[in-house]
Amino acid sequence: MERWSQDSPPIAEIDVLWITAGLGCDGDTIAMTAATQPSIEEIVQGAIPWTPRVKFHNPFLSSEVGDDFLRRFHLAAEGKLDPFILVIEGSIPNENNKSEGYWASLGTDPSTGQPITTCEWIDRLAPHAWAVIAVGT
């Protein structure tokens, strides 16, 4: 995967993979919908000069659901979505402090049928992300 450098052309469009599957509320997602300077509509439509069009993949804001929603996450984990920004909202649970079960997950692994924990998503996505942003507490 080619990384961005000073000599790279401007990014025209960027995906934002937003995970809310932590141990917290979705307050930042809700606050984003009320923003006005700029508004989420201006960001998504690419209406702000010199900024790329943003494609948000947030479980509360997306019109896609299920496997259709998770498709971009799986592509990004395979290194097939570039560039993208990974946003993690809320607390990240420690999945190693118990003998079985899990605290938080998003979707299921197609090869095992098991839930994909928030920690697994971070491990799969962060190495490929253009940037990783933590929001919330």
Side-chain angles (χ1 to χ4, degrees):
M1 169 181 1
E2 186 178 323
R3 302 312 289 176
W4 185 86
S5 74
Q6 255 182 303
D7 300 325
S8 298
I11 297 171
E13 193 170 88
I14 192 162
D15 288 274
V16 174
L17 304 181
W18 193 297
I19 295 178
T20 62
L23 298 177
C25 70
D26 301 307
D28 292 291
T29 292
I30 301 308
M32 182 174 56
T33 64
T36 59
Q37 303 232 348
S39 71
I40 191 169
E41 293 86 0
E42 291 171 316
I43 293 169
V44 170
Q45 293 171 354
I48 302 168
W50 306 294
T51 61
R53 180 174 178 265
V54 175
K55 296 192 298 187
F56 280 111
H57 305 282
N58 176 303
F60 294 104
L61 302 176
S62 180
S63 60
E64 298 172 322
V65 296
D67 291 338
D68 291 334
F69 173 74
L70 289 173
R71 184 169 292 115
R72 294 267 188 213
F73 287 79
H74 288 294
L75 288 171
E78 296 166 8
K80 297 177 182 173
L81 183 67
D82 190 42
F84 75 92
I85 295 172
L86 175 61
V87 177
I88 309 295
E89 181 174 357
S91 301
I92 300 170
N94 179 355
E95 295 292 352
N96 297 318
N97 66 359
K98 63 203 167 327
S99 60
E100 59 184 48
Y102 60 92
W103 294 111
S105 69
L106 176 65
T108 56
D109 188 314
S111 61
T112 66
Q114 295 299 306
I116 302 172
T117 67
T118 301
C119 295
E120 286 178 81
W121 275 121
I122 294 168
D123 289 344
R124 292 177 185 190
L125 296 170
H128 302 288
W130 189 67
V132 179
I133 302 170
V135 297
T137 51

